[in-house]
Every structure is written in structure tokens, then in C-alpha cells.
Amino acid sequence: MKMEEARRRDIYFSFFMFTADLRPNDAGYTQVLVRHLKALTEIGYTGFDVHIAPGPAHVGHHAEVESYISLRRAFDQAGFRDVKFTTNVGTTRTFDPTSPYEEQRKQALSYLKSRVDITSVLGGENTIMSGPFLYPYGIFPLTDDGEGIWSDALQDWMKPRYAAAASIFRELAQYSAEKRVKLAIEPVKNWETPGPTMVSEALNFLESADIPVCGVTIDTAQVVMESQGPAIFRKNVARAAQQSRLNYVHISAPDRGAVRDSWIPWEIMLDEIEPVYSGPYLVEVFNAIPPFESSMRMTRRRFWRPGEDAPEAGVDSAYDVARAALRTLEEKIASHGRRSHP
């Protein structure tokens, strides 16, 4: 496979390099985003993944959706009408679809439907809403004495939570299908959430809850750090593909930093994913910016963001890291093609 053929695969870039909040009502910040979009499309990215931050408590979901309509209009006017967008969404302590309380689950459903609406506004038809939007991100259960719940006790505690979310996700999946938005639940590490932390857990939930039009995200970093091993990885990729649930693939280094020369087991992963997946790959780099520097306890230096940070000698810029990641991924896809079709 030649490099030109590798480029036919859509490769997106995550805006976690720059921000966790697009601030859609801030016209000045929109121009910062536009400058990043221009630079990254010139590098060669065909789309972008953006995090949809929870809005202020006093702002209704309808107003949030309207603000993203305005943001997408600004992107279009800046020349990015044909650029593709996917979204990253997480649930919260307030908007918890696994809550034992029906009213809170209904609030969570309304919240998640609004995120589907925002995803549709930004990405159009056949786009993807991915992220840890099953169990609330970063929330861990405690006993009445304030002690953490772990291991077998945690697994038992999660069972009724998954069951409570089943009807919510059936309705959400139907809604997203009508909007032509693909849902992709992303398992994340065990220090980020109590569950689901593995692809097999997300697939188990979708199968047991009988939710046919909802899928999963496979993230290379999550698989390496929260892994059951290559054999289970192969089974999970095949299982997801057979059920049409492999909806997104994130390419991310285990330290969530630069992809070039990172500990990604390229051959194992691409050998399984490439033959069964035709969607976009997302290059995901978490920069050492708020809130990630504290929530992920980052000790590495920040990749400086052109136009936002002062250049620093000996430190790569965000654009340098993005350019190298795209080149690396294209080379790995091409190399896989040569091995598959010598």
C-alpha cells in the first residue's frame, strides 16, 4: 500500500490538545479555534474530535444546542464547511443514567439527547458521539463510612447501575439513530471510572441490555493500560465487528502524549482492526492543560499551543506533535497494507 492510499483513510485530531471546552458563546475564542483548524487541516487532518463540556446549571439544553449551531456557522464561514467533526461526551454526577432514581435518569436522558443534537449540529449525518457517557466520569462510590468500594464489592455494586441504565440507553440509541449519529461508549482506565473500564464490559452491557444500535470505541491507550491481553483484544475486536458495534478507534499513546515513538503495539492492533474497520481514526493527545494536568496528574511538560502559549526551547509545539502523529499513523497503515498484500 502506498502512502497516498493510506491517506484515503480519514484521520481526525482531538482538540484535547488545546481545550476541554469550546466556549461556543465566546466569539474571541472561536477565532483561536479557527486558527487551530486552519493549521491542522493544512497538516493533513480531515476531521476533528471536540469535547462537549457540561453547560452552566442555569442554561437549558436548548440554549446549549443553539450556541453550537452558531459555532458551526462560524466554522463554515471561516472555510471549514467540508471539515468533519465528532464529539467526546461524558456523563456527570447530576446527569447519571445509572442512578437508582428514575427522575435523575430522565434528566440524564435529556442531557444525553442534547449531546446527540450538538453532535449532529457539528458533525452532520453519520458522525460519532464517543466518550465515557455510561457511568459518570470521575465519580467513585463510597460506603456509608466514607470508604472506597473496590474489587468484587465494586463489581457487585455496578450490576444494578448497568441494569438501571438499560432502558435509558435503548431510548437514547433510538434517538441517535433517528438523528444519524453513531454512539460509541468508550471504556476508560480504572482510575478514571469504576466502569466500564474494558471493551468487554461495554459489549456485555450492550448485549445484555439488548441495544442493537449502539457501539463502542477502542482506544489504544485504554487497551494497553486496562488490558486483558492480546487474545481477549482480538476476540473483542471480532465480537464488536460482527455485531456492527466497532464505531470508533482512537490512536493514543499510553502516557496520552506524543504518538510518535510511543508504546503502541501497532502490529497487534492494526492486524485486528484494519480488516474490519472502515471508519475514521482519531489521534488523541491530552496536553498538560487544565483540567487534564490535575485530573490526570501530568508531570510531563506542556506542548506549547501556537497563538496561545509562548514558544519554549526544547519543547515541541502542539502542531509538531500533531504533524508527527499523522505521519506515524499513515506509515503504520501503509506498513500493515504491505504486510497484508506483499
Side-chain angles (χ1 to χ4, degrees):
M1 181 184 293
K2 297 179 181 179
M3 192 66 68
E4 290 79 11
E5 292 174 314
R7 287 197 181 96
R8 292 175 188 169
R9 167 80 71 164
D10 274 328
I11 299 178
Y12 298 175
F13 191 75
S14 170
F15 260 61
F16 279 151
M17 175 65 88
F18 307 106
T19 184
D21 185 357
L22 297 183
R23 291 149 52 180
N25 292 311
D26 184 337
Y29 190 63
T30 295
Q31 294 310 305
V32 173
L33 300 177
V34 164
R35 288 196 295 273
H36 291 321
L37 289 173
K38 183 176 187 297
L40 291 162
T41 52
E42 289 175 352
I43 286 171
Y45 286 97
T46 58
F48 302 94
D49 187 74
V50 293
H51 182 247
I52 307 304
H58 65 279
V59 175
H61 296 322
H62 176 74
E64 288 183 279
V65 174
E66 289 296 318
S67 70
Y68 283 94
I69 291 174
S70 297
L71 180 63
R72 179 70 226 209
R73 188 179 300 119
F75 289 164
D76 290 348
Q77 292 171 348
F80 301 106
R81 186 177 300 276
D82 296 328
V83 171
K84 302 169 185 177
F85 289 88
T86 59
T87 64
N88 184 289
V89 169
T91 45
T92 69
R93 188 188 297 274
T94 299
F95 301 116
D96 179 2
T98 74
S99 170
Y101 305 107
E102 182 180 8
E103 185 60 32
Q104 190 172 15
R105 293 197 301 273
K106 288 181 178 179
Q107 291 176 348
L109 177 60
S110 177
Y111 167 82
L112 287 170
K113 283 183 174 180
S114 74
R115 269 52 202 163
V116 170
D117 292 339
I118 291 170
T119 304
S120 177
V121 163
L122 290 175
E125 292 187 350
N126 299 316
T127 187
I128 306 164
M129 183 177 104
S130 178
F133 55 83
L134 177 47
Y135 182 84
Y137 181 82
I139 305 299
F140 288 84
L142 301 173
T143 67
D144 291 342
D145 295 328
E147 298 294 327
I149 300 174
W150 305 108
S151 190
D152 291 358
L154 178 60
Q155 293 293 320
D156 292 341
W157 186 89
M158 285 294 295
K159 285 180 182 178
R161 293 276 174 162
Y162 286 133
S167 63
I168 297 298
F169 268 75
R170 281 193 289 270
E171 187 170 344
L172 176 67
Q174 182 60 43
Y175 184 79
S176 67
E178 293 169 0
K179 291 283 186 175
R180 304 289 297 275
V181 171
K182 292 182 179 180
L183 297 179
I185 297 172
E186 182 182 1
V188 296
K189 298 181 297 299
N190 61 0
W191 62 85
E192 294 183 82
T193 185
T197 61
M198 293 178 283
V199 173
S200 53
E201 290 178 333
L203 290 172
N204 289 344
F205 166 73
L206 294 172
E207 290 172 4
S208 64
D210 189 23
I211 308 172
V213 287
C214 184
V216 297
T217 293
I218 289 181
D219 182 302
T220 59
Q222 309 291 1
V223 167
V224 169
M225 290 187 287
E226 190 73 17
S227 178
Q228 294 168 291
I232 298 299
F233 171 75
R234 294 184 179 100
K235 290 179 181 178
N236 282 337
V237 172
R239 179 181 171 193
Q242 288 165 2
Q243 299 176 16
S244 299
R245 296 192 193 276
L246 183 51
N247 283 354
Y248 213 1
V249 175
H250 292 183
I251 304 298
S252 189
D255 73 341
R256 315 319 299 272
V259 168
R260 180 180 58 187
D261 196 29
S262 65
W263 289 102
I264 296 175
W266 292 103
E267 288 189 13
I268 292 174
M269 292 186 169
L270 290 181
D271 281 355
E272 302 306 315
I273 292 170
E274 270 287 287
V276 298
Y277 178 69
S278 59
Y281 284 113
L282 174 71
V283 171
E284 188 176 54
V285 178
F286 285 77
N287 204 356
I289 57 173
F292 307 131
E293 59 185 0
S294 59
S295 65
M296 294 186 172
R297 292 170 170 79
M298 290 186 173
T299 56
R300 57 177 162 83
R301 299 192 71 82
R302 177 182 300 182
F303 304 122
W304 61 273
R305 299 163 295 176
E308 296 189 70
D309 303 316
E312 188 168 346
V315 179
D316 288 336
S317 78
Y319 297 166
D320 292 334
V321 173
R323 185 179 294 105
L326 180 62
R327 185 179 303 116
T328 298
L329 180 52
E330 288 176 339
E331 290 171 353
K332 296 300 182 181
I333 294 172
S335 176
H336 173 271
R338 288 192 294 270
R339 288 188 289 105
S340 301
H341 305 93

